[in-house]
């Protein structure tokens, strides 16, 4: 009986740690994202939930940034602008948002 309790005290934290590690790794390297977004042609710059099922996202593709609205039934382009140069990476949100000029 003592042997069973000792094994239980060793195995329960071990299995819990493995589950925690697996979830951490999954969150860090989501499926399809291994290798990071630096090598991809399409980058999700930022996403913000809007309500229960909606989301706003800024997507960078081919030197342009697109503001898109995502719902359960459709994806719609709201605005487009120029990609922010790396020199403005630390700029304020107002300076970055100034790149969105044409609204559709």
């Amino acid at each position: 009986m003592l042997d069973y309790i000792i094994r239980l005290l060793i195995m329960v934290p071990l299995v819990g740690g493995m589950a925690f590690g697996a979830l951490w790794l999954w969150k860090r390297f989501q499926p399809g994202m291994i290798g990071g977004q630096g090598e991809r042609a399409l980058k999700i710059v930022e996403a913000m939930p809007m309500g229960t099922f909606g989301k706003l996202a800024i997507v960078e593709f081919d030197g342009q940034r697109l503001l898109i609205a995502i719902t359960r039934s459709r994806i719609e382009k709201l605005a487009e602008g120029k990609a922010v140069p790396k020199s403005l990476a630390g700029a304020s949100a107002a300076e970055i948002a100034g790149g969105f000029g044409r609204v559709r």
Side-chain angles (χ1 to χ4, degrees):
M1 180 72 168
L2 184 61
D3 184 40
Y4 174 75
I5 292 174
I6 291 173
R7 278 195 253 160
L8 188 66
L9 289 174
I10 292 171
M11 293 305 286
V12 167
L14 184 65
V15 170
M18 287 172 39
F20 178 78
L23 289 173
W24 179 79
L25 283 172
W26 183 78
K27 183 178 178 183
R28 184 169 167 92
F29 303 105
Q30 293 178 2
M33 295 298 217
I34 294 177
Q37 287 193 359
E39 302 169 4
R40 296 177 166 261
L42 179 70
K43 296 179 189 176
I44 299 175
V45 177
E46 188 174 348
M48 177 185 296
M50 301 294 285
T52 308
F53 301 111
K55 191 182 292 188
L56 283 177
I58 298 176
V59 178
E60 189 172 309
F61 175 71
D62 195 28
Q64 289 189 335
R65 284 193 172 185
L66 305 173
L67 178 64
I68 58 173
I70 304 165
T71 62
R72 277 186 160 185
S73 60
R74 63 193 270 187
I75 298 173
E76 186 174 345
K77 181 175 77 168
L78 300 177
E80 62 182 72
K82 298 175 187 171
V84 178
K86 292 182 181 180
S87 62
L88 290 179
S92 69
E95 293 175 88
I96 294 172
F100 288 106
R102 298 178 293 191
V103 177
R104 279 191 158 189

